[in-house]
Amino acid sequence: MYGFGGTVLRINLETGEIRRSPTPESFAREWLGARGFVAKTIYDEVPRNADPLGPENLFIVAPGVLTGSFAPCGSKLGFGCVSPLTNGHADSNMGGHLGPEIKYAGYDMIVLERISPKPVYLFIDDDAVELRPAEQYWGMGSLDLEARMKKDLGEDFQIATIGPAGENGVGFACITHDFGRQAGRCGVGAVMGSKRLKAIAVRGTKSLAVHDLPGLTKHTYDIIQRTKPHPNMEPWQKYGTALFVSWANEHGCFPSRNFQTTYHEGWEGISGEKLAEEVLVTHKACFGCWMNCGKYSRARIPGKPDTYLEGPEYETIALCGGSCGMTDIHHVAYANYLCDNLGLDTMSGGNVTGFAMECYERGIITKDDLEGHELRWGNIDDFEHFVGMIAARRGIGELFSHGTRAAAQKLGRGTIEFAEQAKGMEFSGYDTRWYSAQLLSYCTADIGAHHNRSWAITADIELGQDTPVGKAPVVIYLQHIRPLFDTWCCCRLFWGELDVTPEEHVDAVRHLTGWDITIEECMLTSERIWNLTRAHYLERNGGPGRKHDVAPLRQLEERIPTGPAEGRKVGTENFEYMLNDYYANRGWDAEGNPTREVLETLGLPRIADRLEKLGLLGKPIPGGIPKVRGQKLKPKAM
Amino acid sequence: MRIKVDTSRCTGCKLCQQICTIEHYGEINPKKAAIRIGAEFPEPGVFTPRLCVQCGACARACPEGAIERTGSADAFVLDTSKCTNCGVCVETCPIGVMYTHAAAPTPVKCDLCLKCTEVCNTGALTVVDSPRPTSR
Ligand code: SF4
């Protein structure tokens, strides 16, 4: 089979048994890789009542079809499991160089089962696969460990690690690789830690089998030459995603102080320009990427050691920076370093800390809860102490270690109204009160409020920021197209920023694999995954679907107090309107449950049977489901 | 003509390595490339592309005379039909840029095809018209 490593690896961590089987081509074509492989395998194999941190959950590592190929930024690697944060399907992916390395070692999916009796790391050197003792590494920070393992194993191994947060089962623990690339969301690091798997180290030296190498080479070579002079190239290379900080403030969607407002006083101090001026050490790219959004930095704060980190990128600046009230890029960079080394997702980590800061401001938590420390907006020492408590799950850190939703449920006192989350997943770095399509995206996503499932901010601008009309079909399109990149495993930014079309990515897949695949087939795959993970969520959490697609009250009813979006809110009625529109356009019933008709169209009749048995199947829709689900719109780059 | 390396601009993307093995082996396999990208992390945080500077030390050392500068070209090129894979050139190379790979029948050497400079988008690898670093 062209384009793939050829082998699925299954490792029983409890017994140490290692099994190999050929990757079936039909499976590869139907699910394409990474997110698709994960969704299907987790759905089929993890019992519905399995504890996300227990032995029955699986932990899956999977590159995708374009990983390691000479396609534009074919760098991505997917991780998957059931999420301890949302209790639904989880996948999270990272760039860097590990995905290609796994492919060059010959593997398309590594399924880790059960729990190891002792801390181990997974060692792969081409065909040699071993579980090696990791007691000596247990307790180490993610970044510290990667440096140590590079010394122990050699520079040409690619390594992924977890930090103390992952070992301790923090609901938003991440997996780190390449000194700052993360699979950040859904708590995949906690599941890795629950298996007592501290790290993965891989060296792959094999060549990738390509169906039409001259065709693929010319294809990518031409795209490289075409995009070099693109007007977005230079700013991306210079500032990366941090470029977006000024734009988001000017457009009233930047989270400030736990999303209290959407224009951050002092944002200039944490902008992309400031990053480039003050902390940047070098630009850093993922495998096969020529727009290098990665920024490698050094934080210098008097009284603290100089620290090196990758970032801070936009989301970290928005959530550790804006949402925690910071205005100094060195502080944001240091916060980024702390989270990275502890193994905390900077997005949920920043969001949770901002939420806790608001609880502190309101007197809901006090110094007594914080071991005598305070938790003041913008205070880096307070931030440092608090994230340490979370990673160790110490004292009140335990309460916040399961995310804002779980914390708010325990704290009570109306805190849930300002916990900016959906399905237990903390918001990405965009407030949505002037961006209703983005709110709909967050609340309907299978993994909760993550912008990578569908980023609709510029779509909102194109469709009209003050109307809910026409938003749902576009969100559906975006929910199919954007996560498709997590399945192909190439970076979406070439599409978003440099106008490389999805069709061109499919051309790369065709050259690589020899399949006669089309964009329509890929979009159908994406929709199949979407419905499958929806079913998975419902089977685990009960129905109807609508009761899970819930927005935080702050986004619905609290008017933005300051800035360019002053006075805006989405409004409950508008949100309900969008939900109805969304379900109708998806071919789901009014309760948000997938219908048999749509599931059968997607080749998932057995899932329809299962949902029917469980009373979770959508009622048939009079007049049938829409032929085309979703409406195409390529949002402008910002 | 030679390839100028500016380490401060390299981002570690490995496009150069991919195009290198596509060009020379008809394969995608960065580990077989004639260019290596050192990565010094976490400190000081720098990528160091390392490739042949065409000094000719390997050519002088090769017992088979398999490495030659042909015509007016600036590159010392390895003639794989003459090479016995004895490894002398690899040991001799003063800067350690004659590479080997288990699946490559001979050492891997840059022949100045310049493909890497065509894909590199950061200015880390550029072609400059300048005298050869040493002459034979
Ligand atoms: S293509 Fe350029 S930037 Fe990328 S690794 Fe090679 S030398 Fe570095």
Side-chain angles (χ1 to χ4, degrees), chain A residues 97 237 283 285-286 288-290 292, chain B residues 4-7 9-19 35-37 47-51 115-126:
Chain A
H97 301 266
Q237 286 195 304
H283 303 288
C286 293
C289 167
W290 59 95
N292 59 263
Chain B
K4 183 168 168 257
V5 177
D6 181 348
T7 50
R9 289 173 178 265
C10 177
T11 61
C13 74
K14 299 182 180 166
L15 273 172
C16 51
Q17 294 187 319
Q18 292 186 75
I19 199 84
I35 178 167
R36 296 282 157 93
I37 309 295
F47 293 102
T48 48
R50 290 172 30 234
L51 80 164
K115 281 282 173 203
C116 55
T117 65
E118 292 169 22
V119 293
C120 181
N121 187 35
T122 63
L125 303 177
T126 48

Side-chain angles (χ1 to χ4, degrees), chain A residues 73 76 113 133 209 247 251 451 466 495 536:
Chain A
C73 196
K76 302 283 180 178
E113 306 162 350
W247 192 97
H251 287 78
H451 70 290
D466 294 313
W495 166 66
H536 194 177

Side-chain angles (χ1 to χ4, degrees), chain A residues 69-70 97 101 104 155 179 205-208 213 217 221 225 228 233 237 281-282 285 287-290 296 308, chain B residues 11-15 18-19 22 26-31 39 41-45 47 101 118-122:
Chain A
S69 73
F70 188 57
H97 301 266
E101 205 71 32
Y104 299 140
E155 179 56 47
F179 300 101
T205 71
K206 300 177 191 176
S207 299
L208 182 65
L213 187 63
T217 306
Y221 187 91
Q225 305 312 336
K228 275 184 181 181
M233 181 61 83
Q237 286 195 304
V281 171
T282 189
F287 181 89
C289 167
W290 59 95
Y296 193 73
Y308 287 77
Chain B
T11 61
C13 74
K14 299 182 180 166
L15 273 172
Q18 292 186 75
I19 199 84
I22 289 171
E27 293 170 17
I28 300 174
N29 187 343
K31 292 232 167 30
F41 289 83
E43 287 180 44
F47 293 102
H101 184 280
E118 292 169 22
V119 293
C120 181
N121 187 35
T122 63

Side-chain angles (χ1 to χ4, degrees), chain A residues 69-387:
Chain A
S69 73
F70 188 57
C73 196
S75 67
K76 302 283 180 178
L77 174 66
F79 293 85
C81 51
V82 169
S83 167
L85 193 62
T86 68
N87 197 40
H89 157 86
D91 67 75
S92 187
N93 73 80
M94 60 167 58
H97 301 266
L98 179 60
E101 205 71 32
I102 292 176
K103 191 98 101 19
Y104 299 140
Y107 305 104
D108 300 314
M109 180 157 79
I110 305 170
V111 183
L112 293 131
E113 306 162 350
R114 310 299 295 178
I115 288 177
S116 168
K118 284 186 178 156
V120 287
Y121 76 92
L122 174 61
F123 172 90
I124 298 181
D125 192 2
D126 284 335
D127 296 335
V129 178
E130 296 166 28
L131 291 172
R132 293 189 168 180
E135 272 111 341
Q136 71 281 23
Y137 298 149
W138 202 250
M140 284 179 78
S142 300
L143 303 174
D144 300 339
L145 177 57
E146 183 168 357
R148 164 85 178 271
M149 290 182 77
K150 284 266 185 189
K151 277 206 189 94
D152 291 354
L153 296 173
E155 179 56 47
D156 52 352
F157 276 82
Q158 296 299 336
I159 292 161
T161 62
I162 56 164
E167 295 173 13
N168 297 335
V170 172
F172 44 96
C174 67
I175 301 168
T176 293
H177 154 63
D178 200 23
F179 300 101
R181 288 277 149 190
Q182 273 89 14
R185 309 230 75 189
C186 301
V188 288
V191 175
M192 184 164 157
S194 74
K195 307 244 168 253
R196 294 207 184 87
L197 183 65
K198 181 66 177 169
I200 300 170
V202 183
R203 178 165 63 184
T205 71
K206 300 177 191 176
S207 299
L208 182 65
V210 181
H211 170 73
D212 172 14
L213 187 63
L216 177 65
T217 306
K218 181 175 181 332
H219 175 74
T220 301
Y221 187 91
D222 289 350
I223 294 176
I224 294 174
Q225 305 312 336
R226 188 184 84 215
T227 53
K228 275 184 181 181
H230 193 288
N232 287 348
M233 181 61 83
E234 198 196 324
W236 270 94
Q237 286 195 304
K238 257 185 160 158
Y239 307 114
T241 58
L243 178 65
F244 209 66
V245 173
S246 58
W247 192 97
N249 276 284
E250 283 155 17
H251 287 78
C253 60
F254 191 79
S256 179
R257 301 189 172 212
N258 192 37
F259 297 72
Q260 288 181 0
T261 190
T262 67
Y263 176 86
H264 187 57
E265 295 291 342
W267 66 263
E268 297 87 346
I270 55 175
S271 64
E273 292 76 6
K274 261 283 175 296
L275 184 156
E277 249 168 65
E278 292 267 330
V279 295
L280 180 69
V281 171
T282 189
H283 303 288
K284 197 160 170 276
C286 293
F287 181 89
C289 167
W290 59 95
M291 60 193 289
N292 59 263
C293 76
K295 304 292 152 238
Y296 193 73
S297 304
R298 178 181 51 213
R300 286 192 147 149
I301 300 176
K304 293 191 191 294
D306 283 6
T307 46
Y308 287 77
L309 61 130
E310 183 169 343
E313 59 91 50
Y314 173 81
E315 297 297 331
T316 306
I317 297 176
L319 293 159
C320 289
S323 204
C324 293
M326 296 184 195
T327 52
D328 181 332
I329 193 70
H330 285 280
H331 290 189
V332 180
Y334 186 69
N336 190 341
Y337 162 80
L338 292 171
C339 288
D340 284 3
N341 208 34
L342 289 169
L344 292 169
D345 170 25
T346 55
M347 296 174 67
S348 280
N351 188 316
V352 167
T353 307
F355 169 73
M357 285 175 170
E358 183 162 347
C359 291
Y360 183 75
E361 182 180 48
R362 291 170 180 246
I364 295 165
I365 58 171
T366 65
K367 265 181 158 180
D368 290 343
D369 300 313
L370 295 161
E371 302 172 334
H373 288 253
E374 297 197 71
L375 196 48
R376 296 159 292 190
W377 297 115
N379 187 298
I380 189 66
D381 294 320
D382 293 356
F383 183 100
E384 179 163 15
H385 183 260
F386 186 67
V387 293

